[in-house]
Amino acid sequence: MTAKRPRPILLKNYRPPAYLIDTVELDIALDPTRTRVHSRLKLRPNPKAEKKKEPLRLDGEHLELAEVRLDGRTLTGKDYRLDDTSLTLKKTPAKAFTLDITTYVNPEGNKALQGLYRTNGVYCTQCEAQGFRRISYYLDRPDVLATYTCRIEAEMDEAPVLLSNGNPLERGTLAGGKRHYAVWHDPYPKPCYLFALVGGDLSSIASTFRTMSGREVDLRIYVEHGKESRAGWAMDSLKRAMRWDEERFGREYDLDVFNIVAVSDFNMGAMENKGLNVFNDRLILASPETATDTIFEAIESVVAHEYFHNWTGNRITCRDWFQLCLKEGLTVFRDQEFSGDERSETVQRIIDVRRLKSLQFTEDAGPLAHPVRPESYIEINNFYTATVYEKGAELVRMIQTLLGRDYFRKGMDLYFDRHDGEAATVDEFITCFEDASGTDLSHFKRWYSQAGTPELVCDLHFDPEKKRARLDVEQVLPPTPGQPHKKPLDIPLKLGLLGGNGQDLPLKLDGGPVLEDGVVHITKRKQSFKFSDIPSRPVPSLLRGFSAPANITVDLSDQDLEFLIANDSDLFNRWQAANTYAMRTLIETVRRLAKGKKASHGMRYAKALSTAISGEGLENAYRAELLTLPSQADVARVIGKNVEPVSIQRAHRRLMKLVGRTLGDQLEDLYDELADEGPFSPDAEGAGRRAVRNAALTLLTARGEKPDLERLSRHYFTATNMTDRAHALYQLAAQRSSDRERALNDFYEQWQGDHIVIDTWFAAQAHSPLASTLSRVKALTRHPLFALTAPNKVRALIGTFALTNPVQFNRADGAGYTFLADQVLALDRLNPQIAARMLSAFRIWRSLEPKRRAKARSALSRVARAKGGSPDVQEIVSKMLEL
Ligand SMILES: [Zn+2]
């Protein structure tokens, strides 16, 4: 921790590095508390540097420096300057030179989980964003690309498996067989954030993949002993992802081996280190008994995501961290497309849009709003956000919508051709699409620099005499921190106009062509589009497929929504209409409850939903999405100010109950007919069946009758897979019945020995809306299986409570806020990155009603005043409080 307040780093201050590193030779002798790292760097002054003769300043933190040699000569304290964050050489040769640096690090003592650390006896590394500087002194920035050779040495017993990036070169034994070593070489130049090393006693499963040019690649997934049988799905996902990237984007894998290692303590989900992906083990290990369908889907998607980085991130990396979305937004887009192709395009889109709205729209509406390409940061780890990832993916998707799939692919091909082996920028990426398609995207680029969610206010007028419809669109761009005024964006608005029989009418622009793709471009603040040959008043279906990350306002009556739910040819929008209808009903109920009125409201919605789910030929997964009402947090986001969580909860419960009652027979039939028969399959079909059945169970349980609660208990106690069991456990944990404790005890007895599965037990209790939840959560922080040093435990217990339990976290007495502030302060001393993440649960505090707002502010102020806080936490808290 530096004592002085850290200064922000600004995009506009970017300068090319003064020195380049061509090769790195590492020699690392692993030891639990005193690992020796010897690094030999071949450096030279950068011919493209702006200033000549700058001293060489290497980044380094938490390192013990043993020796520095320059071209073989040992340097003394007079030759360099050393402080907490750097090593600066006073004089270096004008030409190429070699630097040998020996440092010591303590993997066991590293609880921040950045750099080299040890978890469950396994040595592993996490270098993105700036972890390498905790391993050795280096130019720790993504635009310094070098080839790496890494020799690792360790006790044979302690670490029989020794891995690094690239291909294996050599291995052997030392000291009479007690120690051994392995040498790895990565021929592809990379920034140090992609460096990785693993050493441990691990088991593995193996397979091979033949690439499109006929090369054979050895694939291996390393896991804890005894967990091998749970790695099969990840391996299967990897091979499908490798094939998909060849077919869809023409991208082939480039090394002889591809290794994945699953570790139990990891700050992120997974990391794309070249040829050696390191994963949080909950995103690798799965079996029907231990993992839910959601986890199976997440494994498929994250394994693909990290693999896809090999081209979008590794072969072409980012020039600086402001360009993070260049690799993340693009790679999220690629993994979404992969999941859509592997499963259902429409359902995948619904899942992605739900996620975007719940995470990113919330972020955009609060104090942490920032552009997809931020312009300043204090701690880059705070910018691994929904905006960079999810909205970043939406921007890539909009480029595809604007150009069409063919030109989009041509632009991607050009990007791979032009920038392979380089550290690129967002501007260079966009230029590839402009060059490939001949389209000017300069206006579109504003999306990268303007924060906030645009709102499209739409109005449709119909002139029965002229048989003409006019769509007026106004784009409203709400202010965000640091950006009070904004310029209009270039927004692709995909739409349809439905005629009286429910069919799409041809979109003939007045005096112009027919819009084949149904996309109009909104480029000005206010715009009108006239459509001719419209026989009768049409019903508009707007923002089809969610063609832009925007909110839409349009005056649709209940009848219009019912018409769209029954007829829209765009299945995404059919779901959207149902979701809008549910939201409208919920908000109206909240309003009525606030006025003390009776809330006999929602019957029409329930009936429309009943028609919707009985539509022919619909996939089960799609029906499950229809049956999943907006969450209480969604309602709070849409209400936006003076939020009172208890009234939202009451409205939500009433609607769930009403739907459960109105659709009762239909739901019971679905529940009975779709029971699993035969062996479990994690594929889209099986997962869809379980999803609709569990959604039906939730709505039936909401009726609260005795047989409903008995069904719920039966569902838990007779479950043959974790999807059903975990779903029922969450529901039971919310009930005040004796079966609650019976199920929780049963789950604990069965899974206390499994550090992944037991997280569901922590999370189910933290998620419960019962008034006793906070004291339960507090007690669980002292449970022997809980540890503040284990990020997955923190996320399961504290994260679930703060982020997914609106009523209990936002308790009127403020005790939820006090608890979170206490936990953040304790965590900050161990793992600042995770502490900052947890703190972001306060991001909605300004939208709360005044009493809760005051209590949240005082909890935040306490965090802000704490002595010795990390830059991670201080950056988030000062933004929250607008300091
Ligand atoms: Zn990524």
Side-chain angles (χ1 to χ4, degrees), residues 305 309 328 389:
H305 177 98
H309 268 315
E328 293 306 341
Y389 278 66

Side-chain angles (χ1 to χ4, degrees), residues 272 305-306 309 327-328 331-332 389:
E272 72 262 22
H305 177 98
E306 306 308 332
H309 268 315
K327 76 177 180 77
E328 293 306 341
T331 307
V332 169
Y389 278 66

Side-chain angles (χ1 to χ4, degrees), residues 10 33 105 212 214 222 258 272 319 336 362 402 580 628 632 695 723 725 753 755 860-861 863 882:
L10 306 177
T33 54
V105 294
M212 61 186 183
Y222 290 86
F258 187 85
E272 72 262 22
R319 187 193 71 176
Q336 290 177 346
T362 307
L402 288 165
T580 304
T628 307
Q632 293 173 42
T723 304
R725 193 179 301 279
H755 69 264
L860 280 166
S861 305
V863 174
E882 288 175 9

Side-chain angles (χ1 to χ4, degrees), residues 446-728:
R446 279 182 199 158
W447 277 103
Y448 284 93
S449 50
Q450 285 190 175
T453 308
E455 184 184 356
L456 295 173
V457 182
C458 300
D459 215 346
L460 187 75
H461 305 272
F462 176 63
D463 182 341
E465 309 225 319
K466 292 183 181 153
K467 303 251 176 271
R468 219 161 58 181
R470 192 185 78 227
L471 179 69
D472 296 336
V473 185
E474 183 184 357
Q475 52 169 309
V476 179
L477 302 151
T480 48
Q483 296 187 332
H485 305 292
K486 297 190 175 142
K487 292 179 179 162
L489 294 164
D490 180 357
I491 305 175
L493 175 65
K494 190 170 183 198
L495 68 118
L497 297 177
L498 273 67
N501 59 359
Q503 300 280 329
D504 279 325
L505 298 167
L507 294 174
K508 193 177 175 322
L509 280 175
D510 202 27
V514 172
L515 283 177
E516 295 296 345
D517 59 358
V519 179
V520 294
H521 292 220
I522 315 295
T523 52
K524 302 185 185 124
R525 260 182 225 286
K526 284 186 181 177
Q527 248 167 303
S528 292
F529 303 90
K530 289 178 192 154
F531 300 97
S532 49
D533 301 336
I534 306 288
S536 57
R537 195 192 81 91
V539 178
S541 165
L542 300 174
L543 207 66
R544 283 186 157 176
F546 211 68
S547 60
N551 281 311
I552 195 137
T553 314
V554 58
D555 189 14
L556 290 174
S557 66
D558 287 355
Q559 286 97 314
D560 290 338
L561 286 175
E562 286 159 15
F563 187 75
L564 290 170
I565 292 169
N567 296 296
D568 201 327
S569 65
D570 185 289
L571 283 181
F572 175 86
N573 267 30
R574 207 188 275 197
W575 167 81
Q576 183 61 68
N579 195 266
T580 304
Y581 205 175
M583 185 65 84
R584 175 184 292 188
T585 308
L586 284 163
I587 290 176
E588 174 63 18
T589 311
V590 172
R591 204 178 59 81
R592 287 185 187 207
L593 287 171
K595 287 189 179 160
K597 283 192 196 168
K598 255 191 87 187
S600 56
H601 188 68
M603 193 52 116
R604 284 191 67 155
Y605 161 71
K607 288 194 170 144
L609 187 60
S610 163
T611 318
I613 58 162
S614 49
E616 283 204 15
L618 297 179
E619 291 169 286
N620 280 323
Y622 181 78
R623 289 202 266 174
E625 291 300 332
L626 283 173
L627 288 174
T628 307
L629 267 53
S631 69
Q632 293 173 42
D634 290 333
V635 179
R637 185 189 70 244
V638 174
I639 291 177
K641 52 180 182 237
N642 287 320
V643 167
E644 204 283 284
V646 177
S647 64
I648 295 177
Q649 182 193 43
R650 283 170 64 203
H652 199 264
R653 283 188 173 162
R654 282 178 191 225
L655 188 62
M656 295 277 287
K657 194 170 190 173
L658 180 73
V659 171
R661 283 189 178 154
T662 313
L663 275 65
D665 292 347
Q666 224 174 339
L667 296 172
E668 283 180 27
D669 287 350
L670 282 174
Y671 183 82
D672 294 337
E673 285 162 14
L674 295 174
D676 258 347
E677 284 166 19
F680 179 94
S681 168
D683 63 6
E685 214 271 329
R689 205 171 50 237
R690 285 183 289 277
V692 83
R693 199 161 171 264
N694 280 321
L697 176 77
T698 303
L699 291 165
L700 289 170
T701 304
R703 298 191 298 196
E705 307 291 339
K706 197 158 171 268
D708 298 321
L709 299 176
E710 284 167 3
R711 184 189 304 101
L712 175 63
S713 287
R714 225 170 27 247
H715 195 78
Y716 175 84
F717 284 102
T718 62
T720 57
N721 57 71
M722 186 50 78
T723 304
D724 291 343
R725 193 179 301 279
H727 186 88

Side-chain angles (χ1 to χ4, degrees), residues 40-102:
R40 171 169 294 173
L41 310 175
K42 300 266 190 208
L43 290 118
R44 63 188 158 94
N46 182 4
K48 290 185 183 151
E50 284 168 12
K51 231 168 50 185
K52 304 293 167 201
K53 285 263 178 180
E54 210 171 303
L56 173 64
R57 182 189 178 282
L58 299 166
D59 303 296
E61 287 172 14
H62 304 273
L63 297 173
E64 178 193 328
L65 180 64
E67 192 190 40
V68 194
R69 277 184 291 150
L70 178 70
D71 285 331
R73 183 178 68 89
T74 303
L75 301 185
T76 68
K78 288 183 204 146
D79 301 315
Y80 55 79
R81 251 193 336 268
L82 190 65
D83 63 25
D84 285 352
T85 58
S86 64
L87 167 68
T88 307
L89 270 59
K90 291 179 182 163
K91 242 194 238 156
T92 50
K95 290 203 180 110
F97 58 98
T98 304
L99 209 56
D100 285 90
I101 305 171
T102 307

Side-chain angles (χ1 to χ4, degrees), residues 220-240:
R220 215 170 260 274
I221 299 181
Y222 290 86
V223 298
E224 279 173 22
H225 288 286
K227 303 269 170 78
E228 302 83 354
S229 65
R230 280 159 70 175
W233 176 251
M235 181 65 89
D236 181 64
S237 302
L238 173 63
K239 286 155 85 171
R240 285 185 283 121

